[in-house]
Amino acid sequence: DVKVTQSSRYLVKRTGEKVFLECVQDMDHENMFWYRQDPGLGLRLIYFSYDVKMKEKGDIPEGYSVSREKKERFSLILESASTNQTSMYLCASSFLIYEQYFGPGTRLTVT
Amino acid sequence: DQQVKQNSPSLSVQEGRISILNCDYTNSMFDYFLWYKKYPAEGPTFLISISSIKDKNEDGRFTVFLNKSAKHLSLHIVPSQPGDSAVYFCAAPRGAGNMLTFGGGTRLMVKP
């Protein structure tokens, strides 16, 4: 079974803090993704990576950056957290095109 | 611009009856569609998919129908069970197929 794990299930941070969300997959997948989920808006793609050190902006990259130093690990960074970044963050990975496997999510609250 | 839309944010169905979840899309270049299911505090899991060369795909209690001329797809769950209560997302690949565009989701509640 594919396993995608995320470093925290719940996180509370203050406005202006730097926030790191980590994601690890154990299936040697090339592609990794970061989404945020907000009610009524579905899942919106923040960034994705198709190889180590490679990254592409998704639909809502503003205020975020990413890092992929190793194939199995993909980090999302909020340089200066703001209250409008309060959300559920989901990491996913895929080998073939189309089907993605998701982690359990991190509920981030920025106060 | 949301290219994949789920216009019903919620749906309530009695156990044993049929659940029908709808999804509309605007991009006629989409040629493959997926449905994901998400329980609270868990990540989405893949449920069923359909290629545009088909108009129906069935897997147990789950059937997806595709109407290309109407740019519409639907997920049928028969019979519905309380364990089916979850949020359902439809999605379509874009770009080289690596990226997915998701609809806003429909929360299904199956009452015992």
Side-chain angles (χ1 to χ4, degrees), chain B residues 17-103:
Chain B
R17 306 294 289 267
I18 185 171
S19 296
I20 301 176
L21 296 94
N22 294 305
C23 180
D24 297 296
Y25 61 97
T26 56
N27 189 339
S28 57
M29 298 299 288
F30 288 156
D31 61 2
Y32 192 84
F33 301 89
L34 305 90
W35 283 93
Y36 279 81
K37 174 180 180 178
K38 185 182 184 300
Y39 291 117
E42 294 183 17
T45 54
F46 170 74
L47 186 58
I48 192 169
S49 62
I50 188 166
S51 165
S52 61
I53 62 172
K54 293 185 172 182
D55 53 19
K56 175 183 173 181
N57 189 27
E58 192 172 350
D59 184 2
R61 295 185 298 113
F62 302 90
T63 303
V64 58
F65 295 92
L66 176 61
N67 182 335
K68 290 184 286 294
S69 60
K71 296 195 184 73
H72 177 84
L73 61 154
S74 60
L75 175 67
H76 293 214
I77 307 173
V78 183
S80 301
Q81 299 173 354
D84 296 328
S85 297
V87 178
Y88 291 79
F89 295 98
C90 64
R94 59 190 165 122
N98 306 62
M99 293 189 285
L100 293 175
T101 297
F102 285 85

Side-chain angles (χ1 to χ4, degrees), chain A residues 9-10 31 33 35 37 40-43 45 48 50 57 59 88 90 94 97-105, chain B residues 2 31-32 34 36 38 40-46 87 89 93-94 96-105:
Chain A
R9 296 300 299 270
Y10 300 94
N31 303 316
F33 309 82
Y35 293 88
Q37 181 199 355
L41 297 177
L43 278 67
L45 182 65
F48 86 97
Y50 51 91
K57 291 181 180 179
D59 301 310
M88 169 70 81
L90 292 158
S94 73
I97 58 174
Y98 303 162
E99 188 176 335
Q100 297 179 12
Y101 297 86
F102 284 83
Chain B
Q2 270 195 301
D31 61 2
Y32 192 84
L34 305 90
Y36 279 81
K38 185 182 184 300
E42 294 183 17
T45 54
F46 170 74
V87 178
F89 295 98
R94 59 190 165 122
N98 306 62
M99 293 189 285
L100 293 175
T101 297
F102 285 85

Side-chain angles (χ1 to χ4, degrees), chain A residues 23-36:
Chain A
C23 175
V24 177
Q25 50 96 1
D26 66 358
M27 285 300 292
D28 204 34
H29 285 171
E30 272 74 23
N31 303 316
M32 295 189 75
F33 309 82
W34 275 106
Y35 293 88
R36 60 179 282 177

